[in-house]
């Protein structure tokens, strides 16, 4: 269902004229930022280290979906990847270590839907700051060993979906409750649910998962679908 929806989002972007930014040079310098706030934006980091150590930003006033595709090895290693005000934010990491030591920021706009899909192994040390507010979503789908050691920061109002797509996905993952002071009064009574899914019997998924709340604020119901070992 999550993969289908992400594909649907990509199809919708394709049907609307989208601003497309391609980085095709290894170790290219300069930040990447979408220019037109009123059209969908797609950023493609096509070769190894093509977006290494930079800021990758959706438009600060974006009103349409924003997609970041990281194809090369270490494509966005050590980079900051920011949704800004995009209502739907999608990051697809296809290359090995594409997001190693990077930080994905999806916490600017209330109610953002954030989809992160990681297809290759990452050498730990990367983080996601999820969205917040009623209707917000952080959905992560990870292949074998691809989200080992990721740090996930989220507000208790956010719906979280972690989907294991291979052995060892989300192993040694740490989930932190974020401090969203300006939102707490609005979301005091709402608790977003958490879903952990390992429906294809992969082993060692969610092993050594650590969860820390902020000031006693926890998520709502936790639902675990797991059929593997360890």
């Amino acid at each position: 269902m999550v993969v289908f929806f992400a594909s649907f989002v990509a199809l919708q972007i394709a049907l609307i004229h989208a601003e497309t930014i391609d980085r095709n040079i290894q170790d290219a310098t300069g930040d990447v930022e979408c220019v037109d706030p009123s059209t969908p934006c797609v950023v493609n980091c096509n070769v190894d280290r093509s977006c290494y150590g930079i800021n990758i930003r959706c438009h600060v006033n974006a009103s349409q979906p924003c997609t970041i595709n990281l194809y090369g090895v270490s494509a966005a290693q050590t980079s900051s990847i920011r949704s800004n005000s995009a209502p739907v934010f999608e990051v697809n990491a296809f290359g090995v270590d594409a997001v190693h030591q990077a930080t994905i920021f999806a916490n600017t706009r209330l109610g953002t839907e954030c989809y992160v899909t990681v297809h290759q192994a990452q050498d730990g040390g990367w983080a996601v700051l999820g969205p917040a507010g009623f209707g917000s979503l952080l959905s992560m789908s990870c292949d074998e060993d691809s989200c080992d050691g990721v740090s996930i920061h989220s507000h208790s109002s956010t719906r979280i979906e972690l989907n294991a797509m291979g052995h060892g996905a989300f192993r040694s993952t740490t989930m932190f409750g974020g401090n969203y002071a300006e939102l707490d009064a609005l979301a005091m009574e709402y608790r977003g649910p958490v879903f952990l899914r390992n429906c294809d019997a992969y082993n060692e998924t969610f092993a050594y998962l650590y969860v820390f709340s902020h000031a006693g604020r926890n998520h709502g119901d936790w639902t675990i679908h797991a059929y593997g070992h360890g």
Side-chain angles (χ1 to χ4, degrees), residues 29-93:
T29 59
D31 294 341
V32 174
E33 185 167 4
C34 300
V35 176
D36 188 348
S38 61
T39 61
C41 183
V42 179
V43 175
N44 299 313
C45 300
N46 292 317
V47 299
D48 298 352
R49 297 171 61 94
S50 52
C51 296
Y52 183 96
I54 64 170
N55 293 300
I56 305 170
R57 295 184 290 257
C58 306
H59 195 281
V60 67
N61 296 315
S63 61
Q64 297 293 326
C66 181
T67 301
I68 313 297
N69 296 315
L70 308 172
Y71 294 107
V73 174
S74 300
Q77 183 171 332
T78 74
S79 293
S80 295
I81 305 170
R82 298 180 179 273
S83 65
N84 284 330
S85 62
V88 179
F89 182 49
E90 186 176 351
V91 178
N92 300 304

Side-chain angles (χ1 to χ4, degrees), residues 17-180:
H17 175 70
E19 174 188 358
T20 302
I21 301 173
D22 288 299
R23 299 271 285 203
N24 299 313
I25 300 175
Q26 188 170 349
D27 293 318
T29 59
D31 294 341
V32 174
E33 185 167 4
C34 300
V35 176
D36 188 348
S38 61
T39 61
C41 183
V42 179
V43 175
N44 299 313
C45 300
N46 292 317
V47 299
D48 298 352
R49 297 171 61 94
S50 52
C51 296
Y52 183 96
I54 64 170
N55 293 300
I56 305 170
R57 295 184 290 257
C58 306
H59 195 281
V60 67
N61 296 315
S63 61
Q64 297 293 326
C66 181
T67 301
I68 313 297
N69 296 315
L70 308 172
Y71 294 107
V73 174
S74 300
Q77 183 171 332
T78 74
S79 293
S80 295
I81 305 170
R82 298 180 179 273
S83 65
N84 284 330
S85 62
V88 179
F89 182 49
E90 186 176 351
V91 178
N92 300 304
F94 296 96
V96 174
D97 284 343
V99 290
H100 174 48
Q101 295 183 334
T103 302
I104 298 172
F105 295 89
N107 60 340
T108 304
R109 176 186 178 275
L110 298 181
T112 292
E113 296 180 9
C114 177
Y115 300 88
V116 178
T117 304
V118 184
H119 296 280
Q120 298 287 345
Q122 310 297 316
D123 192 17
W126 61 289
V128 179
L129 276 65
F134 182 79
S136 62
L137 168 67
L138 174 59
S139 178
M140 299 179 63
S141 300
C142 296
D143 285 344
E144 183 171 348
D145 296 328
S146 60
C147 290
D148 187 356
V150 63
S151 296
I152 300 171
H153 302 255
S154 66
H155 191 268
S156 56
S157 61
T158 306
R159 175 188 175 101
I160 295 180
E161 301 176 355
L162 303 184
N163 305 289
M165 310 298 290
H167 300 297
F170 297 104
R171 182 172 46 215
S172 300
T173 292
T174 305
M175 297 177 63
F176 296 95
N179 181 11
Y180 296 75

